[in-house]
Amino acid sequence: MKRYIFQYLAVVLLILGTTSCSDFLTQENQNQILVENFWTNLDDCEKGLVAVYNQLRDQNLIKLDMNTLRSDLAYPGFGRPSPNNINKLYYFQNFTSTDVGPNQQWAHLYTGIFRANQVIQGLEGIKGDMESDNDLARWHTQMAEAKFFRGLFYFYLNSLFNNGKVVLIDYVPYVREDFYGPLSSSSEVIKFFREDLNYALEFLPEIPREQGRVCQATAASVLGKSYLYLNDHETAAQYFKAVIDSELYTLADVSENFTTKGEFNSESIFEISYDNNFKTEETGNKGTRNSYNMMFSSGNTGGYRAVLPSMWLTVAFRKDTLDPNDPRNMVTYMDEDGETQQRLRLFSLRASNSLAMIDDPDMPFYGEERAAYRTNFGNKEFAYFRKYTNWDQLTTEAEQNNFSGINVRMIRLADIYLMYAECLLQKGDVTGALKYINRVRHRSALLLLGDQPSEEFPDATIDEVSYTADMLMKHLQEVERPLELALDGMAIRLMDLKRWGIMKERFIELAARPYHYDKYTYTDEKGEEVTRWGCVVVEGAHPDDPTQNFYDFQEAASNYREQVHSYWPLPSSEVTTNPYL
């Protein structure tokens, strides 16, 4: 809770501002706000910051669906083994510069940069007007927020596009030619956005000035990621440790991380704020809410089920090992004689809060006691993502016009713990890494890792395995990070696979894994026995019929080429309009 921890590390298109292409209009439009009449005080600049924050809310800036399908986490909708979804080209690794993914994400990130540049220029123009220390402090805070977002958007561009070589624009364009520029090298872009983020780290408040605002820990987290993504683990660790040592954040209940009930909880370092207020002028993906729920929900709960969990991910969640002695894993129920009994949960708290599965008896789903009562599964649809859906408060997504007001969690403490653990592993510090991994696991009442009892959680059960650094790193790659952070933030899984240099081998490995499907029989809410077919995924080849074996990522394993697919290509919209290219 000490500001010096961060200080040590630091040592709405409001105005288009374009000129007219003809001079025939000589009379000033009295209804138009001119540039010189707007950026005149801190209140104007505050309105500009609102426009910057609002740019985050357009889902095209994150492209959660397409970037998830580019990783190993998901399958593009119904129709296995032949997906019937327009986004299947991202799953197949068949995208090109003309596809909507790179074009829309590029455009919305640069719109955010344009808005941040407006605020920065506006603040620079009024700095001399600051009459008090309070005014100057407010000026620095606003400048820090604007520079944070410009740095953040360039960090995303550098991480996602064209091997990091993108167009640097640090001014407000006024004529058409100003909107374009030559490509800068990746190192130039990195230097540029780190200068912005370091300024933000120095001048942002330690605690957000309002709920949903960024603060020092947000800047430190992004800086840490920028070094981690380049495998500078030593520098990255310093930023992650600063966030941890600030003692401003604690792990929340796992159930709070992806519903409206847990927004801005004790774990949240950065999240995008949404609401369900209907505005008639807003359509589709625009404005004050997101519509990811339509992609992730099952068909008969109002969703389009365009992004479904992959087979390996679902099996990994099903194998997520519970601590049998943790009381949070005990479920109380009434037996046939009316006696109160207890049993162990079938799946972990982390699994049940992340996925809806037909044979999970311990989590409600859209108003029903369990998912099997609410949706059909079957037809080789064996799980649905719960994250960013309204499963806990609606009976169907149609009740809110297929929109979700759930905040998108961009950075949370669990991510910081796991990245810091990874940095420690690069130094061979297995004991230190286990400490932070086990904090994340204990939060979900999971079996802890290691051959020695945990000092922090002495009553917890351990798996009694003596881990080497390589063993624990493999666990981070294949279990802890994908299960804990699935659908989190900006393309976290995609970036993990890319920076580890294992994307191609991961697709090849998964493409060789056979799975088959089993039926599930249960007693429904009316007391009748029901059997559903092809609704439970089972790891391994079918015992009798090889034609019933299914595989994921075979197209990706064949198509993926690192030099072509590890980054988005330069969008065709930029190439065809930018004279410098």
Side-chain angles (χ1 to χ4, degrees), residues 43-94:
D43 289 339
D44 289 344
C45 295
E46 185 66 37
K47 294 174 184 176
L49 276 175
V50 171
V52 178
Y53 275 94
N54 195 57
Q55 182 61 18
L56 290 169
R57 292 172 140 179
D58 193 307
Q59 71 177 49
N60 290 314
L61 186 140
I62 302 176
K63 282 297 177 192
L64 181 57
D65 55 337
M66 297 173 186
N67 282 318
T68 299
L69 289 170
R70 289 175 62 198
S71 76
D72 64 349
L73 293 180
Y75 180 83
F78 55 92
R80 193 183 295 275
S82 300
N84 185 15
N85 185 291
I86 192 172
N87 286 343
K88 63 185 178 182
L89 61 94
Y90 304 105
Y91 171 78
F92 288 160
Q93 306 296 320
N94 272 342

Side-chain angles (χ1 to χ4, degrees), residues 326-398:
D326 193 312
R328 292 173 294 173
N329 287 325
M330 300 306 297
V331 176
T332 301
Y333 69 100
M334 301 287 290
D335 64 16
E336 295 178 355
D337 299 323
E339 298 292 329
T340 301
Q341 303 289 345
Q342 281 197 322
R343 62 166 176 81
L344 202 63
R345 295 180 59 86
L346 186 59
F347 300 111
S348 74
L349 289 166
R350 179 162 68 180
S352 291
N353 280 280
S354 298
L355 300 184
M357 296 174 283
I358 191 171
D359 53 342
D360 187 350
D362 301 320
M363 288 287 284
F365 194 58
Y366 287 98
E368 295 288 354
E369 183 180 353
R370 51 184 298 184
Y373 300 164
R374 183 61 187 87
T375 194
N376 291 332
F377 292 90
N379 193 30
K380 303 175 186 63
E381 292 181 25
F382 45 80
Y384 304 102
F385 285 112
R386 288 181 184 265
K387 294 181 177 181
Y388 306 124
T389 70
N390 296 290
W391 64 270
D392 63 321
Q393 57 183 344
L394 303 180
T395 59
T396 172
E397 296 293 346

Side-chain angles (χ1 to χ4, degrees), residues 31 67 71 94 102 180 225 233 285 296 322 331 482 501 518:
N31 296 316
N67 282 318
S71 76
N94 272 342
Y180 306 106
K225 281 177 178 273
H233 298 93
N285 303 330
F296 300 145
L322 288 70
V331 176
D518 202 355

